[in-house]
Amino acid sequence: MKIVVLNGSPKGDISVTMQYVAYIRKKYPDHSWEILNVAQDIRKIEKDTVAWKSIVDSIRSADIVLWAFPLYYLVVCSQYKRFIELVFERNAQDAFAGTYAASLSTSIHFFDQIAHAYIHAVSDDLGMKYLGFYSAEMRDLLKEEERKRLEKFAALLFTAVQEKIPVQRENDPLVWPALSYVPGTQQKTYKTGTKKVVILTDSDGSSPNLAAMTDRLLKNFSGPVEMINLHDVNIKGGCLGCCQCGYDNTCVYTDGYVDFYKNKLVPADIIIMAGSVHDRYLSSAWKQFFDRSFFKGHTPGLKGKQIGFMIAGPLHQIPHLKEALTAWADNGGCHAQFVTDEVSDAGELDALLDTMAARLIQNAEAGYIPPHTFYAIGGHKIFRDSIYGGMRIAFQADYRYYTEHGMFDFPQADLKTRLFNAILIPLTRIPGFRKKVFADMKHHMIEPFGSVLEDA
Ligand SMILES: Cc1cc2nc3c(=O)[nH]c(=O)nc-3n(C[C@H](O)[C@H](O)[C@H](O)COP(=O)(O)O)c2cc1C
């Protein structure tokens, strides 16, 4: 069988993910393997038609296409995203159609399920037969048990392809909103007061609805609003994954990204992020924006901001995209609202945009950020443990930040609870005591709130 690996690491061969591929390859040397560094070589692939054609020919000849990639900001890196965009832009879907696909990632399991949902949906759109994913923690390969698991995954994958098993498409084709948005003439305006508003867009003229929505929302604010197009920011390329920023938050790029982030976004109270759906995510320009913010490591660089996601396209048919944006905001300590053009008429969209503008200002004035959900609570624990442990040497700036902000909140550090447990747990071995404690559990659970309610 011929296995074509689409390497989604910007680091090319010197990639953690490629060690996993190398391992499977070593175990199954009888198959023919071809590894294409499509993320690392994206610039060349964009410009060089011979290179592009050779990649497409390889894919066409594959029995299995293995999407192998590191997680970058809950999905794949911007360079890989761009490769996927090129496939659709250049109508190369037929080279993929009918071929079996699977995905393999390495990460620290921070939203790995979203990345695989994305690749699954893309594979479905390409007419591929997607057989599932393998999501490894980046150091798993060092463990005997995990190596065996990986071998089993590969063996079952190869058997499934040899047996030509049928595969059901899980993601329906996207249906784009029918509306051609022409905003109404009735325009509500809201005073921005002391709040700084930035509208960030990647508009390139390809989505008239996005441009019209942005125009409408801009007029909703009375007061200065800065409008920035990502294409006008001097961003030389996607994150390279070199992790040199981990020491002191200094990025190896010397382009305009860090200045733009620090001087335009950090001072803002409200950031509207305007984009349109490209395949099953936003554009690779938006992905590049997210990826490059990695110079801040695993710290919430935009904490406390009100975020308005204004999206043209079928967002509600792409649950993993909504989840990725929601989880990004939650992990960053922001408050996210969404408006899309999936509406019945222009009047409805006018009203939704008016409301979003009003609520962004109200929330900013009130300083309201909702309580974290599982996305940020779970995410924090993953980061906390990794930065305290194995990732500390690489991410020393994060370690300092977490120490200064009391973010190493391990249960072991909670001395009061430890003392409470140390005394009470042995006592519950006494049947009479235990009976009383457990019989009254409902009251014990509400008891601590008594004083708060009295004082309220
Ligand atoms: C910019 C950037 C973003 C990342 N985002 C995530 C993420 O969202 N979730 C996660 O679990 N790991 C994330 N990681 C960690 C990588 O996925 C992980 O280190 C991976 O094993 C790197 O593989 P590679 O060497 O093949 O590129 C990120 C790393 C970088 C550099």
Side-chain angles (χ1 to χ4, degrees), residues 196 198 200 228 257-271 289 293 295-296 300-306:
K196 286 201 170 68
V198 171
L200 204 52
I228 303 171
Y257 182 87
V258 172
D259 278 352
F260 148 75
Y261 187 95
K262 287 185 177 166
N263 300 325
K264 301 290 183 188
L265 302 186
V266 173
D269 301 287
I270 296 169
I271 303 175
F289 163 82
S293 70
F295 79 96
K296 293 292 294 178
L302 299 175
K303 189 174 176 180
K305 315 243 175 267
Q306 300 295 329

Side-chain angles (χ1 to χ4, degrees), residues 7-20 68-77 105-112 115 135-139 238-243 245 287 290-295 297-298 382-383 391 395:
N7 178 6
S9 174
K11 296 186 275 179
D13 298 333
I14 311 168
S15 134
V16 171
T17 315
M18 286 306 110
Q19 309 312 301
Y20 288 70
F69 56 87
L71 260 280
Y72 268 35
Y73 278 88
L74 307 85
V75 198
V76 300
C77 71
S105 69
T106 63
S107 71
I108 58 169
H109 289 310
F110 179 75
F111 295 98
D112 47 353
S135 173
E137 206 283 342
M138 52 189 297
R139 293 171 70 84
C239 176
L240 303 169
C242 66
C243 294
C245 55
K287 192 67 194 32
F290 289 120
D291 291 358
R292 287 290 305 277
S293 70
F294 196 64
F295 79 96
H298 304 84
I382 291 180
F383 288 166
M391 285 179 11
F395 294 99

